[in-house]
PDB file of all heavy atoms in Angstrom:
ATOM      1  N   GLY A 220       4.712 -81.335 -13.319  1.00 95.00           N
ATOM      2  CA  GLY A 220       4.600 -81.526 -11.855  1.00 95.00           C
ATOM      3  C   GLY A 220       5.928 -81.308 -11.177  1.00 95.00           C
ATOM      4  O   GLY A 220       6.818 -80.601 -11.696  1.00 95.00           O
ATOM      5  N   GLU A 221       6.023 -81.899 -10.018  1.00 95.00           N
ATOM      6  CA  GLU A 221       7.135 -81.645  -9.081  1.00 95.00           C
ATOM      7  C   GLU A 221       8.435 -82.439  -9.492  1.00 95.00           C
ATOM      8  O   GLU A 221       8.302 -83.422 -10.164  1.00 95.00           O
ATOM      9  CB  GLU A 221       6.742 -82.070  -7.616  1.00 95.00           C
ATOM     10  CG  GLU A 221       5.548 -81.198  -7.179  1.00 95.00           C
ATOM     11  CD  GLU A 221       5.026 -81.721  -5.825  1.00 95.00           C
ATOM     12  OE1 GLU A 221       5.732 -82.515  -5.135  1.00 95.00           O
ATOM     13  OE2 GLU A 221       3.931 -81.275  -5.405  1.00 95.00           O
ATOM     14  N   ALA A 222       9.562 -81.993  -8.880  1.00 95.00           N
ATOM     15  CA  ALA A 222      10.830 -82.716  -8.973  1.00 95.00           C
ATOM     16  C   ALA A 222      11.241 -83.024 -10.481  1.00 95.00           C
ATOM     17  O   ALA A 222      11.737 -84.114 -10.752  1.00 95.00           O
ATOM     18  CB  ALA A 222      10.792 -84.062  -8.177  1.00 95.00           C
ATOM     19  N   ALA A 223      11.036 -82.040 -11.335  1.00 95.00           N
ATOM     20  CA  ALA A 223      11.412 -82.271 -12.719  1.00 95.00           C
ATOM     21  C   ALA A 223      12.857 -82.704 -12.889  1.00 95.00           C
ATOM     22  O   ALA A 223      13.118 -83.630 -13.700  1.00 95.00           O
ATOM     23  CB  ALA A 223      11.143 -81.002 -13.486  1.00 95.00           C
ATOM     24  N   GLU A 224      13.732 -82.103 -12.138  1.00 95.00           N
ATOM     25  CA  GLU A 224      15.147 -82.412 -12.321  1.00 95.00           C
ATOM     26  C   GLU A 224      15.435 -83.873 -11.958  1.00 95.00           C
ATOM     27  O   GLU A 224      16.291 -84.548 -12.569  1.00 95.00           O
ATOM     28  CB  GLU A 224      16.037 -81.496 -11.457  1.00 95.00           C
ATOM     29  CG  GLU A 224      15.859 -81.638  -9.948  1.00 95.00           C
ATOM     30  CD  GLU A 224      14.613 -80.931  -9.408  1.00 95.00           C
ATOM     31  OE1 GLU A 224      13.939 -80.159 -10.077  1.00 95.00           O
ATOM     32  OE2 GLU A 224      14.246 -81.261  -8.216  1.00 95.00           O
ATOM     33  N   ALA A 225      14.725 -84.469 -11.044  1.00 95.00           N
ATOM     34  CA  ALA A 225      14.879 -85.886 -10.671  1.00 95.00           C
ATOM     35  C   ALA A 225      14.412 -86.804 -11.801  1.00 95.00           C
ATOM     36  O   ALA A 225      15.065 -87.785 -12.157  1.00 95.00           O
ATOM     37  CB  ALA A 225      14.089 -86.192  -9.396  1.00 95.00           C
ATOM     38  N   PHE A 226      13.272 -86.453 -12.445  1.00 95.00           N
ATOM     39  CA  PHE A 226      12.720 -87.252 -13.503  1.00 95.00           C
ATOM     40  C   PHE A 226      13.617 -87.109 -14.782  1.00 95.00           C
ATOM     41  O   PHE A 226      13.759 -88.098 -15.484  1.00 95.00           O
ATOM     42  CB  PHE A 226      11.306 -86.911 -13.743  1.00 95.00           C
ATOM     43  CG  PHE A 226      10.374 -87.398 -12.736  1.00 95.00           C
ATOM     44  CD1 PHE A 226      10.037 -86.659 -11.665  1.00 95.00           C
ATOM     45  CD2 PHE A 226       9.849 -88.680 -12.826  1.00 95.00           C
ATOM     46  CE1 PHE A 226       9.136 -87.125 -10.638  1.00 95.00           C
ATOM     47  CE2 PHE A 226       9.000 -89.134 -11.793  1.00 95.00           C
ATOM     48  CZ  PHE A 226       8.679 -88.377 -10.785  1.00 95.00           C
ATOM     49  N   TRP A 227      14.122 -85.951 -15.022  1.00 95.00           N
ATOM     50  CA  TRP A 227      14.970 -85.754 -16.220  1.00 95.00           C
ATOM     51  C   TRP A 227      16.392 -86.334 -16.144  1.00 95.00           C
ATOM     52  O   TRP A 227      17.130 -86.280 -17.090  1.00 95.00           O
ATOM     53  CB  TRP A 227      15.037 -84.280 -16.603  1.00 95.00           C
ATOM     54  CG  TRP A 227      13.774 -83.783 -17.266  1.00 95.00           C
ATOM     55  CD1 TRP A 227      12.781 -83.131 -16.737  1.00 95.00           C
ATOM     56  CD2 TRP A 227      13.450 -83.917 -18.671  1.00 95.00           C
ATOM     57  NE1 TRP A 227      11.790 -82.855 -17.675  1.00 95.00           N
ATOM     58  CE2 TRP A 227      12.204 -83.348 -18.828  1.00 95.00           C
ATOM     59  CE3 TRP A 227      14.068 -84.516 -19.721  1.00 95.00           C
ATOM     60  CZ2 TRP A 227      11.553 -83.320 -20.100  1.00 95.00           C
ATOM     61  CZ3 TRP A 227      13.432 -84.547 -20.977  1.00 95.00           C
ATOM     62  CH2 TRP A 227      12.215 -83.926 -21.140  1.00 95.00           C
ATOM     63  N   THR A 228      16.719 -86.966 -14.991  1.00 94.00           N
ATOM     64  CA  THR A 228      18.019 -87.566 -14.833  1.00 94.00           C
ATOM     65  C   THR A 228      18.207 -88.750 -15.856  1.00 94.00           C
ATOM     66  O   THR A 228      19.244 -89.161 -16.191  1.00 94.00           O
ATOM     67  CB  THR A 228      18.315 -88.111 -13.463  1.00 94.00           C
ATOM     68  OG1 THR A 228      17.285 -89.071 -13.074  1.00 94.00           O
ATOM     69  CG2 THR A 228      18.394 -86.988 -12.457  1.00 94.00           C
ATOM     70  N   ARG A 229      17.127 -89.240 -16.339  1.00 94.00           N
ATOM     71  CA  ARG A 229      17.087 -90.359 -17.371  1.00 94.00           C
ATOM     72  C   ARG A 229      15.968 -90.061 -18.265  1.00 94.00           C
ATOM     73  O   ARG A 229      14.820 -90.100 -17.889  1.00 94.00           O
ATOM     74  CB  ARG A 229      16.947 -91.732 -16.661  1.00 94.00           C
ATOM     75  CG  ARG A 229      16.880 -92.843 -17.559  1.00 94.00           C
ATOM     76  CD  ARG A 229      18.299 -93.411 -17.880  1.00 94.00           C
ATOM     77  NE  ARG A 229      18.288 -94.420 -18.814  1.00 94.00           N
ATOM     78  CZ  ARG A 229      18.399 -95.768 -18.545  1.00 94.00           C
ATOM     79  NH1 ARG A 229      18.394 -96.126 -17.352  1.00 94.00           N
ATOM     80  NH2 ARG A 229      18.343 -96.618 -19.567  1.00 94.00           N
ATOM     81  N   ASN A 230      16.265 -89.730 -19.561  1.00 95.00           N
ATOM     82  CA  ASN A 230      15.251 -89.314 -20.499  1.00 95.00           C
ATOM     83  C   ASN A 230      15.079 -90.271 -21.682  1.00 95.00           C
ATOM     84  O   ASN A 230      14.351 -89.974 -22.545  1.00 95.00           O
ATOM     85  CB  ASN A 230      15.394 -87.880 -20.961  1.00 95.00           C
ATOM     86  CG  ASN A 230      16.716 -87.681 -21.749  1.00 95.00           C
ATOM     87  OD1 ASN A 230      17.524 -88.619 -21.873  1.00 95.00           O
ATOM     88  ND2 ASN A 230      16.830 -86.554 -22.361  1.00 95.00           N
ATOM     89  N   ARG A 231      15.821 -91.364 -21.696  1.00 96.00           N
ATOM     90  CA  ARG A 231      15.732 -92.363 -22.786  1.00 96.00           C
ATOM     91  C   ARG A 231      15.776 -93.762 -22.192  1.00 96.00           C
ATOM     92  O   ARG A 231      16.529 -94.056 -21.316  1.00 96.00           O
ATOM     93  CB  ARG A 231      16.847 -92.202 -23.776  1.00 96.00           C
ATOM     94  CG  ARG A 231      16.645 -91.066 -24.738  1.00 96.00           C
ATOM     95  CD  ARG A 231      17.657 -91.168 -25.869  1.00 96.00           C
ATOM     96  NE  ARG A 231      17.500 -90.081 -26.768  1.00 96.00           N
ATOM     97  CZ  ARG A 231      16.679 -90.019 -27.806  1.00 96.00           C
ATOM     98  NH1 ARG A 231      15.898 -91.034 -28.044  1.00 96.00           N
ATOM     99  NH2 ARG A 231      16.581 -88.951 -28.512  1.00 96.00           N
ATOM    100  N   TYR A 232      14.938 -94.605 -22.764  1.00 96.00           N
ATOM    101  CA  TYR A 232      14.907 -96.011 -22.406  1.00 96.00           C
ATOM    102  C   TYR A 232      14.825 -96.889 -23.647  1.00 96.00           C
ATOM    103  O   TYR A 232      14.166 -96.492 -24.617  1.00 96.00           O
ATOM    104  CB  TYR A 232      13.752 -96.344 -21.535  1.00 96.00           C
ATOM    105  CG  TYR A 232      13.807 -95.805 -20.112  1.00 96.00           C
ATOM    106  CD1 TYR A 232      13.289 -94.619 -19.787  1.00 96.00           C
ATOM    107  CD2 TYR A 232      14.473 -96.503 -19.109  1.00 96.00           C
ATOM    108  CE1 TYR A 232      13.391 -94.072 -18.539  1.00 96.00           C
ATOM    109  CE2 TYR A 232      14.530 -96.023 -17.895  1.00 96.00           C
ATOM    110  CZ  TYR A 232      14.005 -94.798 -17.603  1.00 96.00           C
ATOM    111  OH  TYR A 232      14.155 -94.311 -16.288  1.00 96.00           O
ATOM    112  N   LYS A 233      15.528 -98.014 -23.635  1.00 96.00           N
ATOM    113  CA  LYS A 233      15.370 -99.013 -24.721  1.00 96.00           C
ATOM    114  C   LYS A 233      14.129 -99.859 -24.352  1.00 96.00           C
ATOM    115  O   LYS A 233      13.751 -99.956 -23.187  1.00 96.00           O
ATOM    116  CB  LYS A 233      16.600 -99.901 -24.811  1.00 96.00           C
ATOM    117  CG  LYS A 233      17.839 -99.148 -25.182  1.00 96.00           C
ATOM    118  CD  LYS A 233      19.010-100.095 -25.168  1.00 96.00           C
ATOM    119  CE  LYS A 233      20.250 -99.328 -25.464  1.00 96.00           C
ATOM    120  NZ  LYS A 233      21.512-100.140 -25.320  1.00 96.00           N
ATOM    121  N   LEU A 234      13.493-100.549 -25.339  1.00 95.00           N
ATOM    122  CA  LEU A 234      12.457-101.477 -25.041  1.00 95.00           C
ATOM    123  C   LEU A 234      12.915-102.468 -24.059  1.00 95.00           C
ATOM    124  O   LEU A 234      14.011-103.037 -24.257  1.00 95.00           O
ATOM    125  CB  LEU A 234      11.976-102.122 -26.315  1.00 95.00           C
ATOM    126  CG  LEU A 234      11.213-101.263 -27.324  1.00 95.00           C
ATOM    127  CD1 LEU A 234      10.793-102.114 -28.562  1.00 95.00           C
ATOM    128  CD2 LEU A 234      10.022-100.679 -26.727  1.00 95.00           C
ATOM    129  N   GLY A 235      12.082-102.725 -23.022  1.00 94.00           N
ATOM    130  CA  GLY A 235      12.416-103.699 -22.017  1.00 94.00           C
ATOM    131  C   GLY A 235      13.269-103.183 -20.855  1.00 94.00           C
ATOM    132  O   GLY A 235      13.467-103.862 -19.888  1.00 94.00           O
ATOM    133  N   GLU A 236      13.803-101.925 -21.024  1.00 95.00           N
ATOM    134  CA  GLU A 236      14.673-101.423 -20.010  1.00 95.00           C
ATOM    135  C   GLU A 236      13.927-100.548 -18.981  1.00 95.00           C
ATOM    136  O   GLU A 236      13.152 -99.708 -19.336  1.00 95.00           O
ATOM    137  CB  GLU A 236      15.713-100.507 -20.662  1.00 95.00           C
ATOM    138  CG  GLU A 236      16.748 -99.934 -19.813  1.00 95.00           C
ATOM    139  CD  GLU A 236      17.759 -99.077 -20.570  1.00 95.00           C
ATOM    140  OE1 GLU A 236      17.381 -98.455 -21.592  1.00 95.00           O
ATOM    141  OE2 GLU A 236      18.954 -99.067 -20.175  1.00 95.00           O
ATOM    142  N   GLY A 237      14.083-100.862 -17.701  1.00 94.00           N
ATOM    143  CA  GLY A 237      13.371-100.142 -16.679  1.00 94.00           C
ATOM    144  C   GLY A 237      11.874-100.424 -16.729  1.00 94.00           C
ATOM    145  O   GLY A 237      11.397-101.183 -17.532  1.00 94.00           O
ATOM    146  N   MET A 238      11.164 -99.702 -15.945  1.00 96.00           N
ATOM    147  CA  MET A 238       9.659 -99.879 -15.911  1.00 96.00           C
ATOM    148  C   MET A 238       9.064 -99.287 -17.204  1.00 96.00           C
ATOM    149  O   MET A 238       8.096 -99.911 -17.751  1.00 96.00           O
ATOM    150  CB  MET A 238       9.060 -99.181 -14.688  1.00 96.00           C
ATOM    151  CG  MET A 238       9.378-100.024 -13.405  1.00 96.00           C
ATOM    152  SD  MET A 238       8.674 -99.233 -11.970  1.00 96.00           S
ATOM    153  CE  MET A 238       9.821 -98.005 -11.661  1.00 96.00           C
ATOM    154  N   VAL A 239       9.607 -98.159 -17.681  1.00 96.00           N
ATOM    155  CA  VAL A 239       9.099 -97.560 -18.868  1.00 96.00           C
ATOM    156  C   VAL A 239       9.224 -98.475 -20.030  1.00 96.00           C
ATOM    157  O   VAL A 239       8.297 -98.711 -20.804  1.00 96.00           O
ATOM    158  CB  VAL A 239       9.783 -96.179 -19.108  1.00 96.00           C
ATOM    159  CG1 VAL A 239       9.373 -95.651 -20.464  1.00 96.00           C
ATOM    160  CG2 VAL A 239       9.462 -95.211 -17.975  1.00 96.00           C
ATOM    161  N   GLY A 240      10.495 -98.996 -20.248  1.00 96.00           N
ATOM    162  CA  GLY A 240      10.744 -99.902 -21.356  1.00 96.00           C
ATOM    163  C   GLY A 240      10.007-101.246 -21.273  1.00 96.00           C
ATOM    164  O   GLY A 240       9.541-101.792 -22.267  1.00 96.00           O
ATOM    165  N   GLN A 241       9.799-101.682 -20.013  1.00 96.00           N
ATOM    166  CA  GLN A 241       9.036-102.930 -19.806  1.00 96.00           C
ATOM    167  C   GLN A 241       7.568-102.744 -20.209  1.00 96.00           C
ATOM    168  O   GLN A 241       7.014-103.641 -20.851  1.00 96.00           O
ATOM    169  CB  GLN A 241       9.170-103.387 -18.322  1.00 96.00           C
ATOM    170  CG  GLN A 241       8.532-104.688 -18.040  1.00 96.00           C
ATOM    171  CD  GLN A 241       8.645-105.101 -16.609  1.00 96.00           C
ATOM    172  OE1 GLN A 241       9.140-104.366 -15.744  1.00 96.00           O
ATOM    173  NE2 GLN A 241       8.204-106.234 -16.279  1.00 96.00           N
ATOM    174  N   ALA A 242       6.972-101.635 -19.844  1.00 97.00           N
ATOM    175  CA  ALA A 242       5.578-101.340 -20.231  1.00 97.00           C
ATOM    176  C   ALA A 242       5.452-101.298 -21.764  1.00 97.00           C
ATOM    177  O   ALA A 242       4.468-101.851 -22.297  1.00 97.00           O
ATOM    178  CB  ALA A 242       5.136-100.017 -19.659  1.00 97.00           C
ATOM    179  N   ALA A 243       6.396-100.659 -22.487  1.00 96.00           N
ATOM    180  CA  ALA A 243       6.351-100.640 -23.928  1.00 96.00           C
ATOM    181  C   ALA A 243       6.526-101.980 -24.554  1.00 96.00           C
ATOM    182  O   ALA A 243       5.823-102.365 -25.472  1.00 96.00           O
ATOM    183  CB  ALA A 243       7.391 -99.652 -24.427  1.00 96.00           C
ATOM    184  N   GLN A 244       7.437-102.767 -23.996  1.00 96.00           N
ATOM    185  CA  GLN A 244       7.759-104.043 -24.626  1.00 96.00           C
ATOM    186  C   GLN A 244       6.631-105.080 -24.387  1.00 96.00           C
ATOM    187  O   GLN A 244       6.255-105.792 -25.304  1.00 96.00           O
ATOM    188  CB  GLN A 244       9.050-104.618 -24.025  1.00 96.00           C
ATOM    189  CG  GLN A 244       9.498-105.882 -24.681  1.00 96.00           C
ATOM    190  CD  GLN A 244      10.815-106.358 -24.205  1.00 96.00           C
ATOM    191  OE1 GLN A 244      11.020-106.431 -22.948  1.00 96.00           O
ATOM    192  NE2 GLN A 244      11.711-106.678 -25.056  1.00 96.00           N
ATOM    193  N   THR A 245       6.074-105.122 -23.207  1.00 96.00           N
ATOM    194  CA  THR A 245       5.019-106.080 -22.832  1.00 96.00           C
ATOM    195  C   THR A 245       3.651-105.588 -23.271  1.00 96.00           C
ATOM    196  O   THR A 245       2.726-106.379 -23.252  1.00 96.00           O
ATOM    197  CB  THR A 245       5.018-106.390 -21.356  1.00 96.00           C
ATOM    198  OG1 THR A 245       4.647-105.211 -20.623  1.00 96.00           O
ATOM    199  CG2 THR A 245       6.350-106.976 -20.876  1.00 96.00           C
ATOM    200  N   LYS A 246       3.510-104.297 -23.514  1.00 95.00           N
ATOM    201  CA  LYS A 246       2.205-103.695 -23.876  1.00 95.00           C
ATOM    202  C   LYS A 246       1.173-103.793 -22.733  1.00 95.00           C
ATOM    203  O   LYS A 246       0.033-103.915 -22.914  1.00 95.00           O
ATOM    204  CB  LYS A 246       1.599-104.317 -25.158  1.00 95.00           C
ATOM    205  CG  LYS A 246       2.591-104.066 -26.372  1.00 95.00           C
ATOM    206  CD  LYS A 246       1.887-104.726 -27.579  1.00 95.00           C
ATOM    207  CE  LYS A 246       2.882-104.542 -28.813  1.00 95.00           C
ATOM    208  NZ  LYS A 246       2.320-105.025 -30.044  1.00 95.00           N
ATOM    209  N   GLN A 247       1.739-103.864 -21.480  1.00 96.00           N
ATOM    210  CA  GLN A 247       0.952-104.028 -20.254  1.00 96.00           C
ATOM    211  C   GLN A 247       1.419-102.946 -19.261  1.00 96.00           C
ATOM    212  O   GLN A 247       2.548-102.554 -19.274  1.00 96.00           O
ATOM    213  CB  GLN A 247       1.144-105.442 -19.681  1.00 96.00           C
ATOM    214  CG  GLN A 247       0.688-106.554 -20.500  1.00 96.00           C
ATOM    215  CD  GLN A 247      -0.805-106.514 -20.719  1.00 96.00           C
ATOM    216  OE1 GLN A 247      -1.636-106.272 -19.786  1.00 96.00           O
ATOM    217  NE2 GLN A 247      -1.244-106.841 -21.916  1.00 96.00           N
ATOM    218  N   PRO A 248       0.453-102.516 -18.420  1.00 97.00           N
ATOM    219  CA  PRO A 248       0.901-101.549 -17.384  1.00 97.00           C
ATOM    220  C   PRO A 248       1.960-102.174 -16.426  1.00 97.00           C
ATOM    221  O   PRO A 248       1.913-103.309 -16.154  1.00 97.00           O
ATOM    222  CB  PRO A 248      -0.440-101.308 -16.628  1.00 97.00           C
ATOM    223  CG  PRO A 248      -1.561-101.795 -17.497  1.00 97.00           C
ATOM    224  CD  PRO A 248      -0.903-102.844 -18.345  1.00 97.00           C
ATOM    225  N   VAL A 249       2.747-101.284 -15.980  1.00 96.00           N
ATOM    226  CA  VAL A 249       3.792-101.706 -14.954  1.00 96.00           C
ATOM    227  C   VAL A 249       3.589-100.818 -13.749  1.00 96.00           C
ATOM    228  O   VAL A 249       3.617 -99.590 -13.894  1.00 96.00           O
ATOM    229  CB  VAL A 249       5.265-101.580 -15.523  1.00 96.00           C
ATOM    230  CG1 VAL A 249       6.242-101.822 -14.467  1.00 96.00           C
ATOM    231  CG2 VAL A 249       5.446-102.488 -16.722  1.00 96.00           C
ATOM    232  N   VAL A 250       3.404-101.395 -12.606  1.00 96.00           N
ATOM    233  CA  VAL A 250       3.103-100.665 -11.407  1.00 96.00           C
ATOM    234  C   VAL A 250       4.149-101.006 -10.369  1.00 96.00           C
ATOM    235  O   VAL A 250       4.489-102.184 -10.112  1.00 96.00           O
ATOM    236  CB  VAL A 250       1.679-100.996 -10.848  1.00 96.00           C
ATOM    237  CG1 VAL A 250       1.369-100.220  -9.601  1.00 96.00           C
ATOM    238  CG2 VAL A 250       0.601-100.726 -11.898  1.00 96.00           C
ATOM    239  N   SER A 251       4.678 -99.904  -9.698  1.00 95.00           N
ATOM    240  CA  SER A 251       5.478-100.150  -8.549  1.00 95.00           C
ATOM    241  C   SER A 251       4.928 -99.335  -7.346  1.00 95.00           C
ATOM    242  O   SER A 251       4.861 -98.133  -7.478  1.00 95.00           O
ATOM    243  CB  SER A 251       6.925 -99.704  -8.796  1.00 95.00           C
ATOM    244  OG  SER A 251       7.719 -99.872  -7.675  1.00 95.00           O
ATOM    245  N   ASN A 252       4.528-100.009  -6.341  1.00 93.00           N
ATOM    246  CA  ASN A 252       3.989 -99.345  -5.094  1.00 93.00           C
ATOM    247  C   ASN A 252       5.054 -99.078  -4.060  1.00 93.00           C
ATOM    248  O   ASN A 252       4.765 -98.431  -3.020  1.00 93.00           O
ATOM    249  CB  ASN A 252       2.882-100.200  -4.509  1.00 93.00           C
ATOM    250  CG  ASN A 252       1.666-100.219  -5.428  1.00 93.00           C
ATOM    251  OD1 ASN A 252       1.291 -99.177  -6.068  1.00 93.00           O
ATOM    252  ND2 ASN A 252       1.073-101.424  -5.568  1.00 93.00           N
ATOM    253  N   HIS A 253       6.283 -99.602  -4.270  1.00 92.00           N
ATOM    254  CA  HIS A 253       7.389 -99.401  -3.327  1.00 92.00           C
ATOM    255  C   HIS A 253       8.686 -99.135  -4.086  1.00 92.00           C
ATOM    256  O   HIS A 253       9.499-100.009  -4.201  1.00 92.00           O
ATOM    257  CB  HIS A 253       7.522-100.642  -2.478  1.00 92.00           C
ATOM    258  CG  HIS A 253       6.305-101.008  -1.668  1.00 92.00           C
ATOM    259  ND1 HIS A 253       5.891-100.270  -0.590  1.00 92.00           N
ATOM    260  CD2 HIS A 253       5.339-101.962  -1.831  1.00 92.00           C
ATOM    261  CE1 HIS A 253       4.761-100.788  -0.107  1.00 92.00           C
ATOM    262  NE2 HIS A 253       4.453-101.805  -0.835  1.00 92.00           N
ATOM    263  N   LEU A 254       8.786 -97.973  -4.646  1.00 92.00           N
ATOM    264  CA  LEU A 254       9.946 -97.600  -5.470  1.00 92.00           C
ATOM    265  C   LEU A 254      11.293 -97.889  -4.815  1.00 92.00           C
ATOM    266  O   LEU A 254      12.229 -98.313  -5.378  1.00 92.00           O
ATOM    267  CB  LEU A 254       9.884 -96.181  -5.917  1.00 92.00           C
ATOM    268  CG  LEU A 254       8.855 -95.834  -6.994  1.00 92.00           C
ATOM    269  CD1 LEU A 254       8.905 -94.389  -7.309  1.00 92.00           C
ATOM    270  CD2 LEU A 254       9.108 -96.661  -8.207  1.00 92.00           C
ATOM    271  N   GLU A 255      11.319 -97.604  -3.485  1.00 92.00           N
ATOM    272  CA  GLU A 255      12.529 -97.710  -2.733  1.00 92.00           C
ATOM    273  C   GLU A 255      13.039 -99.182  -2.662  1.00 92.00           C
ATOM    274  O   GLU A 255      14.210 -99.384  -2.472  1.00 92.00           O
ATOM    275  CB  GLU A 255      12.443 -97.120  -1.345  1.00 92.00           C
ATOM    276  CG  GLU A 255      11.522 -97.887  -0.369  1.00 92.00           C
ATOM    277  CD  GLU A 255       9.990 -97.628  -0.561  1.00 92.00           C
ATOM    278  OE1 GLU A 255       9.621 -96.795  -1.404  1.00 92.00           O
ATOM    279  OE2 GLU A 255       9.212 -98.305   0.107  1.00 92.00           O
TER     280      GLU A 255
END
Side-chain angles (χ1 to χ4, degrees):
E221 299 174 13
E224 64 286 344
F226 285 92
W227 280 100
T228 57
R229 177 86 186 261
N230 65 350
R231 284 193 181 271
Y232 288 92
K233 295 177 185 174
L234 288 180
E236 185 178 32
M238 288 182 280
V239 172
Q241 186 180 4
Q244 185 175 48
T245 63
K246 300 180 182 180
Q247 296 295 318
V249 174
V250 179
S251 177
N252 293 319
H253 302 286
L254 288 179
E255 67 281 356

